[in-house]
Amino acid sequence: MAAPSPGPREQVLAPSPEAGCKAVTSSRRGLLWRLRDKQSRLGLFEISPGHELHGMTCMMQAGLWAATQVSMDHPPTGPPSQDDFSEVLTQVHEGFELGTLAGPAFAWLRRSLGLAEEDYQAALGPGGPYLQFLSTSKSKASFFLSHDQRFFLKTQGRREVQVLLAHLPRYVQHLQRHPHSLLARLLGVHSLRVDRGKKTYFIIMQSVFYPAGRISERYDIKGCEVSRWVEPAPEGSPLVLVLKDLNFQGKTINLGPQRSWFLRQMELDTTFLRELNVLDYSLLMAFQCLHEDERGPGSSLIFRTARSVEGAQSPEESEAQNRRLLPDTPNALHILDGPEQRYFLGVVDLATVYGLRKRLEHLWKTLRYPSRTFSTVSPARYARRLCQWVEAHTE
């Protein structure tokens, strides 16, 4: 079947039973399923009827179901072209429109990650309500998780979306060169417009904190001090809070022999972001204690690569790409096992450019915080400082 043609396109869709908001109510679920689901969702809240964002998320689900169907009907036949990166598809639903930006490019990227479109559609479509958590971010964005917690959705400003799309070809190229990169895997960029009002943009990423069932602590690290403390949840509270730099004082990341790989990959990824003139990104990090049978060299490791279908890589190419042994577990690209703990690691928030506004903010903060470190610094200094933080806090 022919691939979609480039440029702006519009589809008018009739309502379909598959695209309705079909959140399954708990009264229909079996007791065992409910207990297991409740345990894995501690600190998360279902966006169910009555929630202020329920209508919006239902439209997102219906729109994403239809948008993913397009990429299933017209699968990518090769690496994305310039037209693929610039394509905009608008699908008109009853009461709203969903735009898909650079759809063919993201479909190719998802395929290169081994993500089946059917699974992507099922997780983000109307099979179950999205989940919400209390964010410690200072931004005004809304944050959601798919019902299986595998995918992360975040509303974005128009300027941030323009930055992401402008950098998308180089981002894809970086992931091809470094398949085990720690950069968050961006899977889609969309717009939602209700009753011909203002567009709301949102992005979809692979969640760094997945699977979340045994995670004990979560952190957002920028390598600075100002506004980098979060009041921890009271002991015994079900709230899931992402803590920050100052909460991590006195702790270390014990990676053992994997430390050298991690330091090198942070250097490669932050160098790439510095070249894009980007700053204010974060290293997301979470801890999970390993069971006895999960510890020890080779206990659950396999050598997997994003390009393994093309044949074995030479030692020289593997070393240049900084490949490693990946754990035989879901979300392996964001998981690094130390001697006693499993670490979930990923670099997120890649859309802040060091332009005039950030330069002025840097000058103001220099005067406001003369002896303290803050996030708004030049991309070169930001990258260097975060790598120094990682080196100082790992062993």
Side-chain angles (χ1 to χ4, degrees):
M1 193 171 288
S5 58
R9 296 188 295 137
E10 183 172 295
Q11 290 183 347
V12 179
L13 304 176
S16 67
E18 295 88 350
C21 193
K22 305 184 296 184
V24 182
T25 60
S26 60
S27 60
R28 298 179 188 174
R29 297 167 175 161
L31 177 61
L32 180 62
W33 193 96
R34 294 204 307 272
L35 290 174
R36 184 181 62 190
D37 190 51
K38 182 178 180 181
Q39 178 65 28
S40 67
R41 292 183 176 185
L42 284 177
L44 299 173
F45 308 91
E46 285 190 356
I47 303 177
S48 51
H51 193 290
E52 61 179 345
L53 297 173
H54 180 253
M56 174 183 174
T57 56
C58 280
M59 287 184 276
M60 290 169 69
Q61 288 181 312
L64 290 174
W65 190 95
T68 309
Q69 191 61 46
V70 172
S71 61
M72 292 167 64
D73 293 340
H74 305 278
T77 56
S81 65
Q82 190 57 49
D83 287 337
D84 292 333
F85 284 113
S86 60
E87 180 178 297
V88 178
L89 170 65
T90 301
Q91 293 176 297
V92 181
H93 299 255
E94 187 175 359
F96 72 95
E97 299 174 3
L98 189 106
T100 300
L101 290 75
F106 282 114
W108 181 87
L109 181 57
R110 293 193 296 268
R111 172 179 281 194
S112 73
L113 296 171
L115 176 57
E117 292 294 87
E118 292 82 1
D119 294 340
Y120 186 70
Q121 185 185 56
L124 293 167
Y130 285 168
L131 307 174
Q132 187 182 34
F133 58 93
L134 295 180
S135 170
T136 55
S137 170
K138 294 174 63 179
S139 75
K140 298 179 181 179
S142 296
F143 303 86
F144 313 107
L145 285 170
S146 58
H147 63 86
D148 60 0
Q149 303 184 48
R150 188 177 178 185
F151 302 110
F152 178 85
L153 301 92
K154 177 186 178 182
T155 59
Q156 296 264 227
R158 184 169 177 267
R159 181 181 301 176
E160 294 169 311
V161 165
Q162 289 175 332
V163 169
L164 287 174
L165 293 175
H167 292 164
L168 185 58
R170 293 183 66 182
Y171 169 82
V172 169
Q173 187 179 57
H174 180 76
L175 295 185
Q176 286 182 283
R177 289 176 176 171
H178 305 287
H180 295 173
S181 167
L182 291 165
L183 297 185
R185 295 320 194 255
L186 187 61
L187 304 176
V189 175
H190 299 271
S191 65
L192 177 69
R193 188 181 185 190
V194 182
D195 294 329
R196 300 207 168 269
K198 186 178 178 180
K199 288 182 179 179
T200 298
Y201 292 91
F202 64 95
I203 64 172
I204 304 169
M205 300 186 306
Q206 201 163 290
S207 176
V208 174
F209 300 152
Y210 175 83
R214 289 160 49 199
I215 288 178
S216 57
E217 299 175 65
R218 297 167 171 82
Y219 292 90
D220 176 310
I221 301 296
K222 290 182 182 289
C224 58
E225 304 169 272
V226 174
S227 300
R228 301 305 297 166
W229 167 264
V230 172
E231 193 63 37
E235 189 173 350
S237 169
L239 293 179
V240 174
L241 293 181
V242 179
L243 305 176
K244 297 186 179 181
D245 300 62
L246 296 180
N247 300 96
F248 198 77
Q249 287 184 340
K251 302 183 185 225
T252 57
I253 308 166
N254 184 7
L255 294 173
Q258 303 245 42
R259 179 176 183 265
S260 59
W261 177 89
F262 179 50
L263 296 181
R264 175 59 177 156
Q265 193 58 55
M266 283 296 298
E267 180 185 356
L268 290 168
D269 288 335
T270 56
T271 296
F272 168 69
L273 295 174
R274 183 195 70 206
E275 292 170 353
L276 294 182
N277 202 34
V278 166
L279 73 157
D280 215 21
Y281 44 89
S282 296
L283 172 65
L284 287 188
M285 178 171 53
F287 299 169
Q288 172 187 306
C289 285
L290 289 173
H291 291 153
E292 192 65 36
D293 61 352
E294 295 173 323
R295 300 178 186 180
S299 58
S300 62
L301 298 175
I302 57 172
F303 187 67
R304 299 196 307 188
T305 73
R307 296 169 55 194
S308 60
V309 294
E310 298 179 18
Q313 307 297 314
S314 68
E316 294 79 11
E317 183 180 2
S318 182
E319 182 178 350
Q321 295 184 329
N322 201 39
R323 295 174 183 267
R324 64 181 173 100
L325 289 172
L326 299 179
D328 187 14
T329 183
N331 202 27
L333 290 171
H334 287 302
I335 290 175
L336 203 59
D337 283 348
E340 297 186 354
Q341 293 207 84
R342 170 165 288 174
Y343 298 94
F344 296 76
L345 300 159
V347 179
V348 301
D349 296 336
L350 315 178
T352 302
V353 171
Y354 194 55
L356 177 60
R357 183 177 176 182
K358 285 296 176 181
R359 292 173 188 272
L360 294 174
E361 185 179 329
H362 169 73
L363 292 175
W364 179 83
K365 287 185 176 181
T366 300
L367 298 174
R368 178 73 175 82
Y369 307 107
S371 59
R372 302 179 67 192
T373 56
F374 47 84
S375 63
T376 313
V377 294
S378 71
R381 185 176 174 187
Y382 195 97
R384 182 171 63 251
R385 189 174 64 189
L386 185 57
C387 286
Q388 289 171 345
W389 187 98
V390 168
E391 187 166 7
H393 290 82
T394 54
E395 58 184 25

